[in-house]
Structures are given as structure tokens and as C-alpha cells.
Amino acid sequence: MLEKIQETASFLKSKMHTCPETAIILGTGLGSLAGEITEKYEINYTDIPNFPVSTVEGHKGKLIFGRLGGKDIMAMQGRFHFYEGYTMQQVTFPVRVMRELGIRTLFVSNASGGTNPSFAIGDLMIITDHINFFPEHPLRGRNIDYGPRFPDMSEAYDRELIARADNIAAELGITVRHGIYLGTQGPTFETPAEYRMFRAMGADAVGMSTVPEVIVANHCGIRVFGMSVITDLGVEGKIVEVSHEEVQKAADEAQPRMTAIMRELINRA
Ligand code: HPA
């Protein structure tokens, strides 16, 4: 495993002419940020040794290196979801490669269903903490020496970055929520009873990604900032049929707001 990570990292290093310390996983709601990266050079996942290949519609699989807001950055366009059939090692493989490349801060985004009754479709939620509800743990198995066997998770989402994002949102006049993201395997959206259970467990939003990558980033000592677009509601009395298209539509509408905050946060980070 470590050998594969290092092999991939040295392949990428041989292609890179920058030294980014910032990485972005361009999840739902952040796709358009890719268009703002300058001096970019892109590498398709299919051309990267040991990289899994992304399959979901609307996710183009490539790594983008370049500059954003005066910073060298590396961006993942397309992530690997557990529901696609990847192992947790595959889902989180790019984060470990990031660690080898010297990444210090990771920005992530996703779409989620709001379980907090005060949320509305289109809200942006800064992730303050998470609940790992995946059936398999990404750190299960022999410990890689990037971090301890029993990693601390008391501040999985960096408090300083959250405070900075709050200030930026206020300056830009964009309303943001704070909340706990519960990651579950999907690919089904939740039944009303499941939404109710997740709410009772303390979740403000539920989605099918992010948690594995954030766990591995924490293990590697990479600080994390995450944001979620609330694309549908798992709130009693407000539950309606959900489709991928509706999720996409709500995310597209929220995208300019999410992008504005992230762009500025990356700039100042
Ligand atoms: N549940 C799980 N994942 C999601 C949802 C949801 O309601 N909305 C967007 N991703």
C-alpha cells in the first residue's frame, strides 16, 4: 500500500512544476472553481498509476495543478465513492498521495440532505464535525505510519478555518449554517425512518461522501475545511421524492455562493 502511494506520488512529482500545500476535492457545488484555476496542467486519473477511476455521471476524473488566488493548488475533479464499489483504501488513496506531495490543507465539498428542521434547500452548511456511519473504516488494517494507530478526531474540521469562513461569508453577505455531517454508504437516499434516526443521532445533514477522506486527512496531519450544499430535506413533513437531477439542480443554484466563500478562504489560508 505505502509503496503504491509513493509510486503514484513520485509519478506526479515528475510531472509537477509547482509545490502546492493546498488541495481541493471539487465535490458537488464546487465544480466551477476548476474554471478559475490558472496556469493549469491536468492529468486524467486513467493516466495516473494506481489511481482508481471515477464512474459517476457528471464527475470528470482528473487532477488539476495550477494557481488559484495567488496560491499553488492541486484539485481533484471527481472523487471516489464507496457506493461505486471501491474499497475504502481506494476511496482515500488520493488523500494519502496528497500527504506524500506535501499538502497541508484540504478543502472539500459535497451535497447532502438536510435533517435539521431549520434548514432549507439551497442552504450552505459549514461542516463542524461528522459522524462516520460507513460500514467500513478507512483506517482498518495495518497502520500506515502517517499517523498513530488510534488517531485523535477531536477537531476533524479546523476551527480556525471555520472562523475565517464565517467572517468571509459575513463580508460577502452570504448566509451559512453550521452543522454535523453524517456520512453513510448510499446509494439509496434515506427512508423517512432513516432520516429520523440520523436526526436523533445528532446529524444536521446526511450524504454519501467526505467522511472517509476527512478521516484519512486527519490521520495524515492534513487540516480540513468542508462545506455542504443542502440539496433536499430529510425533515418530517418536508420529505418528498429525491432524484439525482434535483440534487444537481439545487447544487448548481448554490454553486456561486459556495465558490465565492471557498475562493476567498483558499486565498487567505
Ligand atoms: N441523502 C444522502 N445523500 C445525499 C442526499 C440525501 O438526502 N442529498 C444529497 N446527497
Side-chain angles (χ1 to χ4, degrees), residues 18-252:
T18 51
C19 283
E21 292 190 352
T22 303
I24 310 159
I25 299 177
L26 298 167
T28 308
L30 272 189
S32 67
L33 202 58
E36 299 183 23
I37 301 170
T38 58
E39 297 171 47
K40 63 171 141 181
Y41 51 108
E42 305 178 338
I43 309 176
N44 290 330
Y45 291 164
T46 44
D47 297 328
I48 305 173
N50 309 318
F51 240 61
V53 174
S54 177
T55 59
V56 177
E57 214 185 305
H59 290 268
K60 286 178 225 119
K62 58 185 172 188
L63 282 187
I64 308 172
F65 294 91
R67 290 181 73 76
L68 188 70
K71 270 205 169 59
D72 286 343
I73 58 103
M74 150 183 189
M76 274 181 77
Q77 191 169 61
R79 61 147 62 98
F80 307 105
H81 298 90
F82 189 67
Y83 62 73
E84 294 176 88
Y86 298 113
T87 64
M88 276 299 183
Q89 279 68 31
Q90 290 175 309
V91 169
T92 57
F93 184 80
V95 179
R96 291 186 161 132
V97 172
M98 285 173 194
R99 178 346 186 125
E100 282 290 328
L101 296 177
I103 296 299
R104 311 286 304 267
T105 311
L106 174 64
F107 296 87
V108 293
S109 77
N110 61 45
S112 64
T115 51
N116 181 325
S118 76
F119 285 3
I121 291 174
D123 277 358
L124 296 180
M125 184 186 91
I126 292 176
I127 304 174
T128 55
D129 202 352
H130 75 214
I131 296 172
N132 178 15
F133 204 73
F134 282 90
E136 198 186 303
H137 199 286
L139 299 179
R140 177 169 180 265
R142 189 170 168 181
N143 186 45
I144 295 183
D145 230 6
Y146 289 160
R149 171 71 289 188
F150 303 107
D152 170 65
M153 288 293 284
S154 61
E155 194 182 331
Y157 299 81
D158 189 80
R159 280 192 207 113
E160 199 188 310
L161 289 172
I162 293 172
R164 232 178 276 172
D166 279 336
N167 288 337
I168 290 166
E171 284 170 30
L172 298 173
I174 298 170
T175 304
V176 285
R177 311 290 198 150
H178 278 197
I180 296 167
Y181 175 89
L182 183 144
T184 183
Q185 67 174 317
T188 43
F189 293 113
E190 285 62 37
T191 64
E194 287 164 347
Y195 281 127
R196 208 179 307 126
M197 171 182 74
F198 290 148
R199 180 65 189 152
M201 288 168 76
D204 294 295
V206 48
M208 307 174 196
S209 69
T210 307
V211 166
E213 294 107 309
V214 171
I215 289 173
V216 168
N218 271 269
H219 182 243
C220 295
I222 296 174
R223 64 182 181 152
V224 175
F225 176 81
M227 237 173 151
S228 191
V229 189
I230 306 299
T231 55
D232 53 275
L233 293 173
V235 172
E236 216 134 24
K238 295 185 184 169
I239 298 174
V240 292
E241 203 180 308
V242 196
S243 70
H244 183 58
E245 289 68 34
E246 280 165 302
V247 165
Q248 211 68 48
K249 192 164 160 267
D252 288 346

